[in-house]
Structure formats: structure tokens, C-alpha cells
Amino acid sequence: MNKLRLSLSIAMLAAAVSAAHAQQPAPAAPPAAAQQPAQQPALTAEQQAQIARQDAEISAAALQIMQMIDANRAGEVWDGASATMKGLVTREDFVRQVAADRSRLGAPASRDRPVVSRSRFGAGESVPEGIYLNVASPTKFANHAQPIRELVSFRFDDDRTWRVSGYSVR
């Protein structure tokens, strides 16, 4: 991957947006209304296959990010990150926070199968506006008996490229 870039076709973006909407609950009707909320249309087999391919690609990219973090290359992760992330946290602060979190947890011992989720945020929400893919992996670390959620987030930038927008362990 060229500096953590994953290009996606318009079809895959449409599938991601459709899936994101399909995963979100329908807005609740006011109590006085007697109407049933509209059902989201089911995904076609082709759309499901596109989402499965996207999940595999973004999971591989997230694993690459996690391995870079394992190798103390957090600065390189920040260098290839979304401008949105760079506007929220300085390179120095990102590297320092990742190092502090990881030194407390120790080296990763194992990572379980990642789970991909999709989110869309509008202007004025708690997260900068955009379309996001989040990859969470239950990870066991040397200094912690229970698995910790290791999360890599990607944002679909204006140039139609997925870039890292966050990394955390909780």
C-alpha cells in the first residue's frame, strides 16, 4: 500500500454507504404516529460480495497499521493519515499517546478476527463530517490478561482514498 492508501471504486463506496444505512436503526416515529418505519431494502448478492471484499481489504490495511504500531512506527502512521486526523492531533502527541498506551500493555501476543463497522457523520457532530470504516480487533497483550479492543479507523477523503483517521486501544 502506498502510504496506507486504499482506493475504492464508486460501486464499493455506494455499497458501503448502503450498508451503513442498512446497519443503522430506522428513526423512531413520534409516539402519536401510527405508521411503521420504512424498511431498508435488502442488499443484493453482488453488494454483499462487494462489502465482503471491502471488509477483507480494510482489515488487511488495519493489520498493517497495527503491525506498524507494533514496530514503533506510529510517526509513519500519522504521516500517511487523513488531513482530518492531522488537524485533530499533532504528530508528536499521536506518537507519545500510542507509545504510552502500548508500553502499559506490552507487546501484542495475539489478535483475533477483526470486525468492520461503517459510520457516517454529518457536519456539527462529535466526529468530523465524513464516511468512516472502523476495524476492531480483540488483541491480547503481554501485560494484560484479558483481550483489549484495538481499533483502527479510516476516513474516506475527498480524493476518494481511505486513510487512517485514528488508532486506539481500550
Side-chain angles (χ1 to χ4, degrees):
M1 251 177 293
N2 182 10
K3 282 292 183 181
L4 313 174
R5 291 178 159 201
L6 286 177
S7 297
L8 293 179
S9 68
I10 299 299
M12 289 189 80
L13 174 60
V17 172
S18 294
H21 287 290
Q23 292 177 5
Q24 296 178 8
Q35 297 178 352
Q36 294 291 331
Q39 291 288 334
Q40 293 288 336
L43 297 177
T44 66
E46 182 179 337
Q47 289 171 324
Q48 291 172 2
Q50 288 173 335
I51 288 173
R53 279 191 302 273
Q54 184 183 51
D55 286 357
E57 289 173 3
I58 207 72
S59 293
L63 179 60
Q64 186 178 22
I65 298 299
M66 292 174 197
Q67 290 169 339
M68 290 175 75
I69 298 292
D70 296 345
N72 296 316
R73 295 170 53 197
E76 291 177 52
V77 171
W78 188 92
D79 292 341
S82 173
T84 301
M85 177 177 144
K86 290 178 177 181
L88 295 173
V89 63
T90 66
R91 186 181 200 269
E92 183 178 298
D93 286 345
F94 179 74
V95 170
R96 183 182 14 243
Q97 185 61 53
V98 168
D101 288 344
R102 293 301 291 275
S103 68
R104 177 178 46 86
L105 294 169
S110 66
R111 288 185 173 99
D112 285 341
R113 184 182 175 131
V115 175
V116 178
S117 63
R118 293 157 173 78
S119 302
R120 183 180 204 159
F121 294 94
E125 295 190 41
S126 61
V127 174
E129 182 176 12
I131 299 170
Y132 294 84
L133 291 176
N134 303 297
V135 182
S137 179
T139 304
K140 289 186 181 176
F141 291 94
N143 299 341
H144 202 276
Q146 296 299 316
I148 302 288
R149 182 196 69 161
E150 190 172 20
L151 178 71
V152 179
S153 297
F154 296 88
R155 182 177 186 276
F156 193 66
D157 284 341
D158 293 339
D159 65 355
R160 299 181 181 273
T161 300
W162 288 103
R163 288 192 181 82
V164 173
S165 62
Y167 172 84
S168 67
V169 285
R170 291 189 196 142

